[in-house]
Amino acid sequence: MRYALLAPGKRIRPFFVAESARLFDVAEIHALQAGAAIECVHCYSLVHDDLPAMDDDDLRRGRPTVHKAFDEATAILAGDALLTFAFEILSNKATHSDAAIRGELIAQLAQAAGKDGMAGGQMLDLQAESEKVADLGRIVTLQAMKTGALFRFAVNAGAVLGKAGAKERAALALYADHIGLAFQIADDILDVEASSATLGKTAGKDKVAGKATYVDLLGLDGAKAEAGKLVREAKDAMQLFGAKAEIFIAAADYVVSRRK
Amino acid sequence: MRYALLAPGKRIRPFFVAESARLFDVAEIHALQAGAAIECVHCYSLVHDDLPAMDDDDLRRGRPTVHKAFDEATAILAGDALLTFAFEILSNKATHSDAAIRGELIAQLAQAAGKDGMAGGQMLDLQAESEKVADLGRIVTLQAMKTGALFRFAVNAGAVLGKAGAKERAALALYADHIGLAFQIADDILDVEASSATLGKTAGKDKVAGKATYVDLLGLDGAKAEAGKLVREAKDAMQLFGAKAEIFIAAADYVVSRRK
């Protein structure tokens, strides 16, 4: 669990939890609680996705994947325990005494991670891979579930913790959905353009697996244009928060400019 | 998820949730919510435990295991999604409006299922198997985590839902711990005495895997005597509830008399 969770990573989901919490002047300890929980869920998904029966990957965050460093049984159980630990963290009333807010976060995290979110999206991804069907609508739906739902949870967490209004939540949701999609498109672009050494994971993997990527469907230039458009719209939505949204604007630019 | 969850099973954990809820006159819908959640957790653990990298079992509840009926990736994801679904169910405020009670159940379930409970116990079990060390203290600790923690959650759930006092909770905890252990000893006895057809899962599996069982450590007669003693003490503890505890007494007898 430690090997998977404390490996060098971008921590982009906890980052968004912390920054959205800052928009609503939420106590830092509450943001850390939600941020720790979402990172547990994200890391569990990496451990299970890397398993031989899934994406069968040897390298993650620049190190051997968990089933390579230990063994498959350990990887399965470490993933299971990390997922469970996320809910243990969120249900800790010593960290956050408001049971209604904790309950809303738990409900949202479970929906984002489960059959109608990340796990369901991963299943659709495996089916799409074996059927070799490339369809833009399908890949958008699939990615919205597989990676978008957890992303939206992260960006929305501060609004839940800060009991924000509907207008603020809608702006954050638009930002999250657009950035989540742009992030995925950027990943597909990086998978084509970057080396394994830079990525810290195996490059060119999607092509070998025969996965339909945004680059396949839109072309390299088309994918870059689409990511750029999504980022612009995401930044526009955040104007609502004025100067406080500065870091969200910078983060949006980072998503498409990052090299790994 | 449906294949794993709706397969014929004893539903012994939801049964204990329902019956402990009845002790404290809890609304049935609240018991059903907690019972559904614990069955999801139990079934997820069966799906993952049966995987080739874990116990590598082909038969469960009289049918092919999930990775045999579908494939390994589907089994991993169905397990992940069932575990997550348990927390989605428990966090549903439409089913139970009291966020503090829901929060306590979620915290207890996460602890019972996670690194210090079921998943941690399964890891210890795999380590014990590879080290071929047979030690009674170790196997008791291991089983208390692997199966006992979830059992205790089930028996205690009604007390949480019904806001029961410390004396009632202590009696239920003793009952749960003793019955949980007796259940496991009875499983080890059945693994030696029953056929695969009767069990609905592969019999004699533990011996082949070189697992240290209670039968190895205590002998067949010793294991039966120990299970009998635990059941008697469990029944004694439930005298506190008078005639209301009748079904707990019958369930305790069932645990050691069942043939599968």
Side-chain angles (χ1 to χ4, degrees), chain A residues 44 48 53 74 80 84 91 107 110 123, chain B residues 44 48 74 80 84 91 107 110 123:
Chain A
Y44 121 75
H48 281 191
T74 305
D80 290 345
T84 312
S91 64
M123 189 72 221
Chain B
Y44 121 75
H48 281 191
T74 305
D80 290 346
T84 313
S91 64
M123 189 72 222

Side-chain angles (χ1 to χ4, degrees), chain A residues 172-193:
Chain A
L172 286 168
L174 190 150
Y175 179 88
D177 291 347
H178 279 53
I179 291 300
L181 190 48
F183 188 88
Q184 195 55 49
I185 296 174
D187 250 9
D188 287 353
I189 294 168
L190 283 171
D191 190 63
V192 175
E193 290 192 331

Side-chain angles (χ1 to χ4, degrees), chain A residues 1-7 39-61 63-83 118 122, chain B residues 48 76-77 80:
Chain A
M1 288 172 74
R2 280 195 206 93
Y3 180 86
L5 191 63
L6 305 178
E39 189 67 10
C40 286
V41 171
H42 174 58
C43 289
Y44 121 75
S45 78
L46 299 181
V47 174
H48 281 191
D49 284 1
D50 287 337
L51 284 166
M54 307 274 279
D55 290 349
D56 192 16
D57 229 315
D58 296 348
L59 201 58
R60 169 70 70 181
R61 291 175 164 179
R63 311 194 306 179
T65 47
V66 176
H67 67 275
K68 283 286 168 188
F70 300 87
D71 56 44
E72 271 188 66
T74 305
I76 293 166
L77 286 168
D80 290 345
L82 278 170
L83 170 58
M118 191 174 64
Q122 178 67 8
Chain B
H48 281 191
I76 293 166
L77 286 168
D80 290 346

Side-chain angles (χ1 to χ4, degrees), chain B residues 158-179:
Chain B
V160 174
L161 288 166
K163 297 184 179 180
K167 217 165 74 176
E168 284 79 7
R169 289 189 191 220
L172 286 168
L174 190 149
Y175 179 88
D177 291 348
H178 280 52
I179 291 299

